[in-house]
Amino acid sequence: MTLDGEALEQLRKRVRAGGAERYHAANAAKGKLFARERVALLVDEGSFVEDGMYANVLADGLPADGVVTGTATVDGRPICLMANDSTVKAGSWGARTVEKIIRIIERAYTTGVPMVYLVDSAGARITDQVELFPGRRGAGKIFYNQVRASGSIPQACALFGPSAAGGAYIPAFCDVVAMVEGNASMYLGSDRMVEMVTGEKTTLEAMGGAKVHCTESGVGHFLCKTEVDAIDTIKRYLSYLPSNWTQQPPKTEAADAPSNVDLAALVPASERRAFDMRRYIKGLLDSDSFFEIQPLWAKELTVGFGRLNGEVVGVVGNNSMFKGGVLFVDSADKATRFVQLCDAFNVPLLFLSDVPGFMVGTVVEKQGIIRHGAKMITAISEATVPKICVVVRKAYGAGLYAMAGPGFEPDATIALPTAKIAVMGAEAAVNAVYANKIAAISDEAQRAAFVAAKREEYERDIDIVRLASELVVDTIVEPHDLRGELVRRFAAAAGKDRHFSRRRHGVTPV
């Protein structure tokens, strides 16, 4: 085919227009933007360079083969991106779609820049399965490249519509997934397939909608009201991370902590009273810098990025407002993934402990609480970035280990005056040791006096000053001095040796 300038421009215009107008109208009715509009919202103006625009251009109705790929900058920093065009066969994959996605991930990996996935796809085209599915450059190569790039470059996904069947693994292999409520969904089998195979009658929203994945399964990280919100969330996420594993997180101008937060007043004297660790974190970090990840899932544990004196830190904190701050299967998984994310991209870790321990009972044992807890403790052990454990109120049992306690080589273990460190709380300990003796005391007043005396004895045994004298904790700090202490200690640990073990990799209890 010979093209003059005018014919080439007409061809480009046709490709850039995407699918038929009726598909654009249908998307607009659902509040969905065109793929190229999403790209424009994500990247700096004029920075996008497209690859493979003419893929499948000779076929009828397959402009760019249903996916836009290329390079750009976001806030001045280079990235690679892909964006499914759901106006072209519902964003489904053909052989050239797959090749374009493979190539752009390979480029992101080899050039050491973040990879952003703007996903809205019905999955593979069954009619093209031989060409796109089984081969060496088939769809499996997408996931292979995502796994190879994991921890080497940031990978972030904004999900605007379906991510079906094998395509659901694209978001699953990303560091984070922002899902648009009402439109985004992930599922391995459609509602019709599920009914055919299992007899279950369900809907895509009930089975794999954004709310399900952001509140129940944990596959989604951010539940967003609009597409603009989802794109802004991805941009903010990238602002805390380096472009690749060899670089340091981007520093910003230092800012003060909020002036209207009294950290000491936030923590009740009685450990029976809950407090919101999110408020504590926001009062400790640079003002307005806390970026919570997975805020709607496993809420007994709070994780997210923030800044201390302009430097990025990752925060892991127990939140007693939810399930008493006890660690469950999901919260252990949540912590594991976040700690690995921070360690991969050189983000120092701050642990704020107020943990009663791991949950016990038949239900959690059947769910594998021991295995999941071991997985979390493995991640804490293997993290070689600077890490500091602050015991805000309590650290009981294996909860101390899971929150980077003294045995896990933190760069410091700091206790607040309210801190308690023990195998278990006083009430549980007294009951465990003296249950028979307590039961044998018939007089109610004598029984209460006996229990109170034993509790007082136990509290003296675990007194935080005694633990400091035994060098269990490195220092005791007043809440108003904690921020400055952390800034200085993280600065001192910045050049630490990152070597961990003589091996290829561990055998993680997954």
Side-chain angles (χ1 to χ4, degrees), residues 51 67-71 79-84 93 96-119 137-157 167 169-171 173-174 243:
D51 288 323
V67 67
V68 178
T69 61
T71 60
I79 67 156
C80 290
L81 67 88
M82 60 139 286
N84 297 119
W93 297 0
R96 292 165 188 83
T97 320
V98 168
E99 179 62 27
K100 287 175 68 173
I101 296 171
I102 291 170
R103 288 186 187 186
I104 200 62
I105 301 170
E106 289 175 340
R107 175 172 291 191
Y109 175 71
T110 56
T111 57
V113 302
M115 179 70 209
V116 178
Y117 304 81
L118 306 180
V119 176
R137 298 286 287 186
K141 196 70 170 183
I142 295 174
F143 311 133
Y144 170 87
N145 278 308
Q146 283 190 277
V147 172
R148 184 175 65 156
S150 179
S152 175
I153 56 172
Q155 297 185 82
C157 173
Y169 288 109
I170 280 189
F173 285 123
C174 288
S243 292

Side-chain angles (χ1 to χ4, degrees), residues 182-506:
N183 282 334
S185 60
M186 282 184 273
Y187 50 88
L188 296 183
S190 69
D191 48 355
R192 286 181 297 174
M193 180 180 288
V194 167
E195 183 174 1
M196 181 181 71
V197 173
T198 70
E200 177 191 2
K201 292 186 177 181
T202 186
T203 65
L204 295 183
E205 185 64 26
M207 178 175 59
K211 196 167 184 180
V212 168
H213 285 305
C214 291
T215 64
E216 296 182 55
S217 76
V219 181
H221 296 74
F222 308 100
L223 185 62
C224 303
K225 292 291 185 185
T226 68
E227 296 199 1
V228 173
D229 291 340
I231 291 169
D232 287 345
T233 296
I234 296 302
K235 292 171 75 170
R236 190 175 181 201
Y237 172 77
L238 293 175
S239 74
Y240 289 92
L241 294 177
S243 292
N244 60 64
W245 69 284
T246 67
Q247 300 175 8
Q248 294 301 308
K251 184 177 180 178
T252 62
E253 188 174 341
D256 293 331
S259 59
N260 61 343
V261 179
D262 182 352
L263 294 180
L266 284 179
V267 184
S270 171
E271 62 183 70
R272 290 177 174 273
R273 290 183 57 200
F275 75 98
D276 195 338
M277 186 60 81
R278 294 168 299 189
R279 292 183 62 197
Y280 198 93
I281 294 168
K282 291 174 182 177
L284 183 64
L285 300 176
D286 294 2
S287 187
D288 297 322
S289 72
F290 184 53
F291 178 62
E292 188 174 1
I293 295 175
Q294 290 185 307
L296 302 176
W297 182 62
K299 293 190 283 187
E300 64 272 17
L301 191 82
T302 298
V303 303
F305 296 132
R307 288 189 168 86
L308 269 174
N309 204 39
E311 300 279 3
V312 178
V313 293
V315 184
V316 180
N318 312 108
N319 197 334
S320 58
M321 293 291 290
F322 305 96
K323 300 180 181 178
V326 177
L327 291 166
F328 284 75
V329 167
D330 284 348
S331 40
D333 284 357
K334 180 178 178 178
T336 299
R337 187 170 175 83
F338 182 71
V339 167
Q340 291 177 335
L341 172 67
C342 290
D343 193 52
F345 294 114
N346 311 313
V347 176
L349 281 160
L350 171 61
F351 296 86
L352 299 174
S353 176
D354 181 27
V355 60
F358 285 90
M359 189 59 185
V360 296
T362 305
V363 173
V364 292
E365 292 296 355
K366 289 181 177 180
Q367 292 171 342
I369 187 71
I370 297 170
R371 175 167 49 84
H372 288 270
K375 179 166 50 177
M376 178 178 177
I377 292 170
T378 297
I380 304 301
S381 303
E382 292 180 338
T384 58
V385 288
K387 53 188 179 187
I388 295 177
C389 170
V390 178
V391 184
V392 176
R393 189 163 62 170
K394 61 184 178 293
Y396 292 157
L400 172 65
Y401 302 161
M403 295 300 287
F408 293 82
E409 299 202 2
D411 294 279
T413 302
I414 300 171
L416 299 188
T418 47
K420 295 179 182 179
I421 300 174
V423 172
M424 62 184 72
E427 183 176 351
V430 170
N431 185 66
V433 177
Y434 299 104
N436 292 337
K437 194 165 186 177
I438 292 169
I441 302 173
S442 57
D443 184 82
E444 190 173 328
Q446 287 183 356
R447 190 189 311 119
F450 177 83
V451 170
K454 291 303 179 183
R455 286 191 64 173
E456 186 178 342
E457 181 183 311
Y458 187 82
E459 295 283 5
R460 285 197 303 271
D461 191 49
I462 63 169
D463 179 70
I464 196 63
V465 175
R466 179 190 173 188
L467 294 181
S469 75
E470 299 285 351
L471 300 181
V472 173
V473 298
D474 296 296
T475 188
I476 304 172
V477 174
E478 293 281 358
H480 61 264
D481 293 326
L482 178 59
R483 176 181 161 88
E485 183 85 8
L486 291 171
V487 169
R488 291 186 292 272
R489 286 185 179 272
F490 273 125
K496 68 181 286 189
D497 178 20
R498 296 284 304 275
H499 178 73
F500 176 68
S501 178
R502 187 184 68 251
R503 66 187 191 190
R504 194 176 305 281
H505 60 73

